[in-house]
Amino acid sequence: MNNEVPQMFVWDQERNQPRDRRAHAELYHFIVDYVAPTEYMDRPPQSVFYCFLIDVSHAAVSSGMVATACRTLLESLDSIPNEDNRTRIALIAFDVALYFCSMPPGSTESTMMVVSGIEDVFVQKPNDILVNLTEARASIEA
């Protein structure tokens, strides 16, 4: 299948002339994608996961960035692809430490695990950090 390249991508606006397409490997070399049927798979495809990292430093909180990021995340939950109800997400906040949000499925309660030693990160309960979007939706929204 041929993909059309937008004209602005190959146009040099500074010189007001077309760019050399051969200078862009992604335009000059062909890429072929094959969709493998299930008989070629050793296991079913893994579920998609999204990890949201939010800066919670004093500057980020005072500028309103944290509130905007959280509001945008809440508004975007329905837009995250999850047709097969297997999509998983993780919420991690950071400043001078890492804050892992532990969200048990089916509960609105969540806890935060603080990891201050960021050179050698160790998380005791990794199962509640990367959670199923459908099962932990109430906890994510809370």
Side-chain angles (χ1 to χ4, degrees):
M1 179 168 118
N2 289 329
N3 293 324
E4 294 296 322
V5 177
Q7 188 65 24
M8 293 304 292
F9 188 79
V10 292
W11 187 259
D12 188 351
Q13 293 181 350
E14 294 176 2
R15 297 182 188 160
N16 201 20
Q17 65 184 18
R19 291 184 186 172
D20 183 9
R21 285 181 179 244
R22 289 172 286 176
H24 294 280
E26 66 271 18
L27 296 177
Y28 191 66
H29 298 285
F30 297 104
I31 298 172
V32 179
D33 291 329
Y34 295 100
V35 178
T38 55
E39 57 262 13
Y40 286 96
M41 296 183 197
D42 290 339
R43 58 172 170 71
Q46 297 295 307
S47 60
V48 176
F49 75 90
Y50 297 90
C51 182
F52 296 97
L53 296 164
I54 301 174
D55 179 4
V56 292
S57 64
H58 177 70
V61 173
S62 61
S63 70
M65 191 281 304
V66 174
T68 301
C70 292
R71 185 180 63 249
T72 304
L73 176 60
L74 282 173
E75 292 171 357
S76 303
L77 285 178
D78 291 328
S79 303
I80 295 174
N82 190 24
E83 293 82 24
D84 57 358
N85 291 325
R86 292 179 45 203
T87 301
R88 299 180 297 163
I89 72 165
L91 299 173
I92 303 172
F94 66 92
D95 55 9
V96 295
L98 293 172
Y99 308 94
F100 293 90
C101 297
S102 176
M103 301 168 285
S107 172
T108 59
E109 296 294 320
S110 61
T111 59
M112 188 171 292
M113 292 180 286
V114 180
V115 178
S116 57
I118 59 174
E119 290 81 27
D120 188 23
V121 177
F122 174 74
V123 181
Q124 292 181 347
K125 292 177 22 179
N127 295 341
D128 290 342
I129 294 173
L130 188 59
V131 296
N132 182 288
L133 176 60
T134 304
E135 294 172 2
R137 178 78 183 243
S139 183
I140 295 166
E141 290 177 350

